[in-house]
Amino acid sequence: MPAMDVWMIWLALGLRWLHWVGIGLVLTGLLAFRWSGRARWRLAVAGLGLAAGSAFAWPAVYAASMTPGNVPWQVLLVLGAGAEGWLPGVAALLDLHPDWVSAWRPEPAVPLAGSALRQTLWLLVALVLASGCAWLAWRVASKPLGWMLLALAAVLWGYRPIPSPALLLAPASAHSFRQPDVAFDVSGLSLGQVNYQRHCITCHGAPGEGPTRKTVGMARWPTVLGAALFETRPVGELYGHVQYAAGHAYSQRLSEAEVWQILDYLRVAAAGTTLQREQAWLQPLPAPGMSIRCTGAWGHARSLSDLRGQKVRIAVQDGGASSVAARALPDPRLVDVWLLPPNADVPAEAECVSTEPGTWQTYGWLAGVTPEQLSGAAFLVDRQGWLRAFASARDAQGWSRPDSMCGPVDVAQTALPTGSLSEVLDTMARRPVGPLVGARL
Ligand code: HEC
């Protein structure tokens, strides 16, 4: 997945503010009776232009920032022209992931119909003419002609030809671009699993395996909540489905945070299935947070996120001194965090340890194995906090591929021949995971 730019989200947010500034200018132009007619006219027309321009632009910028890859300008044009970007809720003006304002969103997997792309030219012409009329109205600033030009601009705007969105866009809901707003950590994921088992497992079965039977009276088979779901659907849409769709409507029974935790848990479980199947994670995931205790230079660190900026190796140790695998021998390039069972003695040579309950289980989901099978395994986390590679205790092959979630660059070229630690670290540095929108790092 290519890098998506967080600054574009800020730009969209700024445009929503500008929209209200424009409306403020219109009102000032209408109400500032003491000023000359010409100044008031110009202020009002400029405000109108600003309001219309930003109502058009912010949904397009926002959708572009939340969609992986480069979105063609024609698609954004159709989206902006069709979205209801007017008068965004004032309360949501500080929200980086506001409710989506269109029934459509860009989707890289939708093949673009050539005829629809050509039709966008007419849309462009209409919009350019409308802006031209508004600009002339601003220039002439004489009442009758100015009003006529403004009316013409309004007609051109009102009758702008929008190609059928279905040919270029995918259906969307208000929740499409929502992002999880809960901490991605061991305790949250553990709660997610508890609530999944309490509310969802009867119909959906174990994550990734799917339902075992169709519940009586159910018209449709419950969806398999596995990796495919997270590869093809924005997580916000899954959230909206669970909270509000008929047959689910959990907004009555579960809090927002609880639903996000369930979805996070499912994403982690899906990552484990993918790792078992492909020997690599295909989607970027941060290393789940946990509380840690450290000695020496890292004595101040209380949680995994305090080690951000360092390359971290998380080694699963069952506590006995003899079990300290060769992999976990100190390495000057890495900070070591040992996952120990909750009541284990902390070995003197350990740099950092975590004995938080639930860590083995959570990291076991990520690896697609039971906590018992996890002993002796290790995870590598890069400087940005992304989980990059896994080595199981019994695996002679060494590390999994640390670049598989970095994008569609030719994988064969970058495949690791031996998977030695040096090569893995080298690949991690050469191919960073781009900053992702909504990533909670
Ligand atoms: C009574 C059975 C039942 C329960 C309980 C249930 N689901 Fe579903 N779920 C379904 C069925 C049937 C579908 C497929 C039809 C549909 O889209 O609603 C589905 C679909 C889904 C989808 C896919 C939506 C999509 O847009 O593709 C998700 C995600 C989901 N469920 C999550 C959950 C979660 C999370 C819970 C627990 C909080 C849950 N479900 C509880 C029956 C159930």
Side-chain angles (χ1 to χ4, degrees):
M1 198 181 290
M4 292 185 275
D5 291 313
V6 179
W7 67 263
M8 277 179 63
I9 298 192
W10 285 100
L11 179 63
L13 188 70
L15 283 167
R16 268 185 295 160
W17 282 85
L18 264 191
H19 177 75
W20 280 111
V21 171
I23 288 176
L25 290 181
V26 175
L27 291 178
T28 317
L30 291 179
L31 299 176
F33 298 111
R34 297 244 202 97
W35 298 1
S36 77
R38 198 177 167 85
R40 287 173 55 202
W41 173 267
R42 289 205 156 168
L43 206 59
V45 175
L48 202 61
L50 191 64
S54 33
F56 184 92
W58 82 256
V61 173
Y62 181 44
S65 67
M66 295 301 293
T67 309
N70 291 328
V71 186
W73 64 266
Q74 293 98 329
V75 170
L76 292 179
L77 191 73
V78 173
L79 190 77
E84 286 105 53
W86 288 85
L87 307 182
V90 178
L93 281 181
L94 287 177
D95 195 347
L96 283 183
H97 295 292
D99 279 357
W100 180 226
V101 288
S102 169
W104 302 93
R105 62 173 171 84
E107 165 59 64
V110 171
L112 300 181
S115 57
L117 286 184
R118 278 192 298 281
Q119 281 173 33
T120 55
L121 283 180
W122 289 112
L123 175 61
L124 189 65
V125 168
L127 292 177
V128 168
L129 285 179
S131 327
C133 288
W135 182 75
L136 278 179
W138 183 82
R139 289 286 305 192
V140 299
S142 88
K143 280 289 164 65
L145 186 57
W147 279 114
M148 267 164 53
L149 284 164
L150 270 193
L152 192 57
V155 168
L156 280 165
W157 172 270
Y159 286 94
R160 62 196 186 281
I162 303 181
S164 168
L167 298 177
L168 300 168
L169 300 160
S173 76
H175 309 284
S176 286
F177 296 139
R178 290 277 309 262
Q179 292 288 316
D181 53 8
V182 293
F184 192 75
D185 59 14
V186 166
S187 62
L189 289 165
S190 304
L191 285 173
Q193 188 229 15
V194 169
N195 278 320
Y196 181 78
Q197 296 196 324
R198 192 171 294 156
H199 297 280
C200 324
I201 206 164
T202 43
C203 290
H204 284 284
E209 284 170 27
T212 43
R213 66 197 165 81
K214 197 157 133 183
T215 309
V216 186
M218 206 189 284
R220 288 210 267 168
W221 273 92
T223 314
V224 178
L225 303 181
L229 200 60
F230 293 92
E231 283 157 19
T232 56
R233 302 287 303 279
V235 66
E237 279 177 13
L238 303 180
Y239 171 84
H241 193 95
V242 177
Q243 287 282 47
Y244 305 107
H248 284 81
Y250 278 92
S251 57
Q252 307 291 322
R253 282 163 285 171
L254 293 171
S255 70
E256 288 192 10
E258 283 167 330
V259 173
W260 283 124
Q261 282 163 348
I262 293 177
L263 290 173
D264 274 347
Y265 158 68
L266 288 170
R267 212 150 62 93
V268 164
T273 318
T274 313
L275 182 70
Q276 288 297 322
R277 205 180 51 213
E278 315 273 342
Q279 273 72 55
W281 292 299
L282 301 183
Q283 295 211 318
L285 270 185
M290 55 186 155
S291 60
I292 59 175
R293 275 172 296 151
C294 298
T295 54
W298 305 106
H300 63 279
R302 293 285 168 277
S303 72
L304 189 61
S305 56
D306 294 335
L307 299 180
R308 190 71 30 83
Q310 304 298 319
K311 283 172 279 184
V312 176
R313 175 171 53 186
I314 298 174
V316 187
Q317 307 284 345
D318 64 14
S322 62
S323 74
V324 179
R327 258 192 210 103
L329 285 179
D331 186 308
R333 295 166 293 183
L334 301 165
V335 180
D336 272 311
V337 176
W338 291 0
L339 298 196
L340 298 172
N343 299 320
D345 297 330
V346 176
E349 70 270 36
E351 215 167 5
C352 295
V353 297
S354 176
T355 50
E356 188 179 331
T359 353
W360 278 48
Q361 198 182 29
T362 307
Y363 277 81
W365 295 328
L366 279 167
V369 300
T370 61
E372 295 74 44
Q373 292 167 312
L374 199 63
S375 180
F379 299 80
L380 280 184
V381 182
D382 68 14
R383 292 182 194 280
Q384 287 76 38
W386 297 110
L387 209 51
R388 296 299 295 269
F390 172 74
S392 78
R394 58 187 154 73
D395 192 356
Q397 301 289 317
W399 296 92
S400 68
R401 290 222 341 266
D403 56 347
S404 46
M405 69 289 272
C406 294
V409 180
D410 192 0
V411 164
Q413 270 182 12
T414 55
L416 290 173
T418 65
S420 76
L421 181 59
S422 297
E423 272 165 289
V424 173
L425 292 178
D426 185 47
T427 313
M428 271 164 54
R430 237 177 335 105
R431 300 205 57 206
V433 176
L436 291 175
V437 167
R440 295 147 297 169
L441 285 175

